[in-house]
Structures are given as C-alpha cells and as structure tokens.
C-alpha cells in the first residue's frame, strides 16, 4: 500500500502468514507504535520488503512471531523493532539505511526492542543506520543474537553536538535485570 497512514496493520489479526509483499511509502508518524507493518500473535512474515516509510518500518508485537528474509530499509525512523514479545524468531533479515533523516531523539536506527522474553536473532545484517544496528533496551531476557553482522551504523548528533542516537552495532541497555518490588510486582 502506498501513501496510507500505515501500510498493513489489521485490527487484532492473529496467526497470519504474509509472504512476498513490498510495503512502502506509508505516511506513518515517527512514534515507535506507528510502524508501517505491525505483527500480532502467531504471525509469520517472510520474503518481504518494508521500505521508504515516513516513520518506522516493521513493528514486531505479539507472541510466537517469526520474521524470515525480511529487508527493512530507508525508513524514516527504525527498520524493525517492537516490545513485549515472547518466543520471537528473527532470521536472515536485513535492516539498513534507516533513521537518516528523523528529527526525533533516539530510538531509530536498525531497530529497537524492549521487554522480549525468549528471542533468537540469527544471521541479521544491520548496516548504515542512523543510530544502533540493533538496540535491546529495557528488560529483555533469554535473548540470543548469533552469526550476525553490524557495520557502518553512525551516531546521529543534535545541532549542539550531543548524541541523538548512538551508532553502536549492537547496543544492550537495561536488560537482564529483574527488579521486584516488596509486594512481588515487577
């Protein structure tokens, strides 16, 4: 879909198989929840391209999601990212040249993930993004990244020279630690 608010975001559609599609030119906002394509429980997304969207490319949400051979490129904010998934598999994917024009602080680049519990990232190429190749932030546990390449990601700076988004290849922050309050809440 071209020029829509979001290229493909069905309302609570679970257990979908999406293959061989190109999603481009969504006029989606830059916020992380406004991805051009947004998954839900049980999705399998393979052999797709998510490109040239105003905001984020692929938003991965829901449990038991599998993303294979997907390219997320030239998106205004992030290539792929998400939050709150369990048993996620991202394999043989490329995220490149994302977040090179965004005016918002942080959260762009190849992708940002939060609150994952059980995730495998295998054979990922994250390159030439404005910001981290992949950023795992806030309570990611049981996470494996292997056989992947991170290169040419650049630090984006504000007009005053301070860092807007770090260009680290793989950035892990505030993860692997569980804080429990006295009443047992986390």
């Amino acid at each position: 879909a071209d020029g829509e608010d979001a290229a493909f975001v069905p309302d609570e559609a679970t257990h979908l198989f999406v293959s061989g599609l190109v999603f481009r030119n969504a006029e989606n906002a830059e916020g992380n929840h406004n991805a051009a394509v947004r998954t839900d429980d049980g999705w399998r997304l393979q052999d797709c391209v998510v490109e040239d969207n105003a905001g984020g490319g692929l938003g991965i949400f829901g449990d038991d999601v599998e993303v294979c051979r997907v390219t997320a490129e030239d998106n205004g904010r992030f290539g792929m990212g998400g939050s709150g998934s369990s048993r996620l598999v991202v394999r043989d994917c490329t995220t490149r040249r994302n977040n090179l024009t965004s005016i918002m602080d942080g959260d762009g680049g190849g992708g940002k993930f939060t609150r994952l519990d059980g995730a495998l990232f295998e054979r990922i190429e994250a390159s030439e993004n404005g910001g981290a190749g992949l950023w795992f932030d806030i309570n990611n546990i049981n996470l494996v990244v292997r056989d992947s390449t991170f290169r040419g990601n650049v630090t984006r700076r504000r007009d005053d020279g301070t860092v807007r988004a770090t260009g680290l290849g793989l950035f892990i922050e505030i993860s692997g630690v569980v804080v429990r309050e006295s009443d047992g809440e986390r």
Side-chain angles (χ1 to χ4, degrees):
D2 285 343
E4 305 283 328
D5 285 339
F8 192 62
V9 187
D11 187 25
E12 299 184 30
T14 62
H15 301 88
L16 289 181
F17 176 70
V18 179
S19 180
L21 298 179
V22 176
F23 303 95
R24 74 168 58 100
N25 298 332
E27 290 297 324
N28 54 330
E30 289 190 340
N32 287 341
H33 62 286
N34 293 320
V37 179
R38 185 179 166 118
T39 68
D40 204 335
D41 290 345
W43 275 43
R44 180 177 171 89
L45 188 70
Q46 71 178 34
D47 301 316
C48 291
V49 176
V50 183
E51 65 184 9
D52 296 316
N53 298 291
L58 173 60
I60 301 172
F61 297 89
D63 295 331
D64 302 305
V65 173
E66 188 170 346
V67 178
C68 297
R69 299 179 305 278
V70 170
T71 298
E73 60 189 5
D74 303 314
N75 295 291
R77 186 72 183 274
F78 60 89
M80 59 178 65
S83 185
S85 295
S86 294
R87 299 170 303 279
L88 169 63
V89 175
V90 180
R91 183 176 284 136
D92 300 314
C93 291
T94 300
T95 179
R96 64 180 167 225
R97 299 185 309 265
N98 299 291
N99 196 43
L100 295 176
T101 59
S102 174
I103 60 170
M104 294 184 72
D105 286 345
D107 294 359
K112 179 180 179 179
F113 292 87
T114 64
R115 297 175 179 84
L116 300 179
D117 184 359
L120 171 64
F121 289 79
E122 185 172 49
R123 295 182 300 277
I124 306 305
E125 179 192 332
S127 60
E128 303 170 54
N129 295 291
L134 287 180
W135 178 7
F136 297 101
D137 184 19
I138 307 172
N139 296 335
N140 292 292
I141 59 174
N142 304 313
L143 174 70
V144 174
V145 178
R146 66 178 174 217
D147 302 326
S148 295
T149 303
F150 304 91
R151 64 180 171 75
N153 298 291
V154 297
T155 296
R156 302 250 348 258
R157 298 193 178 274
R158 296 179 188 89
D159 290 340
D160 67 4
T162 59
V163 172
R164 172 178 281 162
T166 179
L168 295 172
L170 181 61
F171 184 25
I172 301 172
E173 179 181 27
I174 318 173
S175 292
V177 177
V178 176
V179 177
R180 295 188 187 277
E181 301 295 331
S182 60
D183 61 8
E185 296 288 317
R186 343 197 248 183

